[in-house]
Amino acid sequence: MIYFIWGLSLFILYYYLTRKYKKRINETICLMDNLKSKNYSIPMRQDDFSILEDKIYKLFVELVEEKENTKNKSDRQIEYLEDIAHQIKTPITSMLFSIENYSQKDEDIKILKRQVLRLNSLSDILLKLSSLDAREDSMKKEKINLYELVEYSLDTINIRKDLKINIDKNLKDYFIIGDFYWISEAITNIFKNASDRKSCSVIEINAIKNPIYVLLSIKDDGGGIKDGDFKKIFKRFYKTPDSNGFGIGLSMAKKIIEKNNGEIEVSNEDLGAKFEIKFYNVT
């Protein structure tokens, strides 16, 4: 009888402690959920779990504060970049106006104009970069006709008169989901990359569709990409020795496409480079 009472007592004690620990574990999990919901109240208890709850609370608050500080620093850097770009833009606009109204036509003025135009392009790029970095999660979700997107992108740049553009009419039947303005910016940069190559005489634009994505293909005959450049071509500020750009366009294109739930790849085919862009979640 004594052994039975002793065993029953142990069982009751085990059951009580088990329920108590499970309850405290659930309360600790609840505390973590409340912290995620920005409810920073902490229960005033004194037991073995209190130390753990206190550590979790302090760690979470530190992470929240660090996240806020990082975001504030990022926002300030973006503001500084935009301010600098605007400050650069003002004197450049004034200089361009003066150059346009300068009557003398000598080589020095032509050189000056080219350099000012280059600075003007750089200030535009700085503004676009700051705007893009500020839009981590704010890309629009629009239904976009692929043919209209390509036509718009081509209209925004000065394509050489001797450069032939072949667009597959099937693009009119394909639609993607994303931010029209930013995706057109990405595609424009790919067109510029081909157009800047003097050896490029034709750009072929095609598309195919399957249940998973629409694939947009942009192919040129400008000589292709050297083997050593494939891993670097999408890096910011990287440019080939024969490039007249700033090494930003293709890296920006990659970032924009990825922000719009897409992927971009480049390869050499026939006489030039081939960019393939996959747009997922199509309609």
Side-chain angles (χ1 to χ4, degrees), residues 22-36 53 56:
K22 284 184 178 180
K23 181 181 178 181
R24 291 297 284 122
I25 289 171
N26 289 332
E27 288 174 349
T28 303
I29 293 172
C30 184
L31 170 67
M32 296 171 66
D33 291 336
N34 289 338
L35 290 174
K36 290 179 182 178
E53 288 177 339
I56 292 173

Side-chain angles (χ1 to χ4, degrees), residues 121 178 210 264:
S121 297
N210 63 38
I264 182 170

Side-chain angles (χ1 to χ4, degrees), residues 170-181:
N170 288 337
L171 267 68
K172 294 180 179 180
D173 301 325
Y174 299 145
F175 292 84
I176 62 174
I177 300 297
D179 192 305
F180 184 94
Y181 168 77

Side-chain angles (χ1 to χ4, degrees), residues 98-106 109:
S98 299
I99 292 171
E100 292 294 339
N101 288 276
Y102 192 77
S103 58
Q104 187 175 349
K105 302 292 183 181
D106 57 21
I109 293 297

Side-chain angles (χ1 to χ4, degrees), residues 209-214 279-282:
K209 178 181 178 180
N210 63 38
I212 302 173
Y213 56 77
V214 165
F279 294 103
Y280 292 94
N281 297 327
V282 298

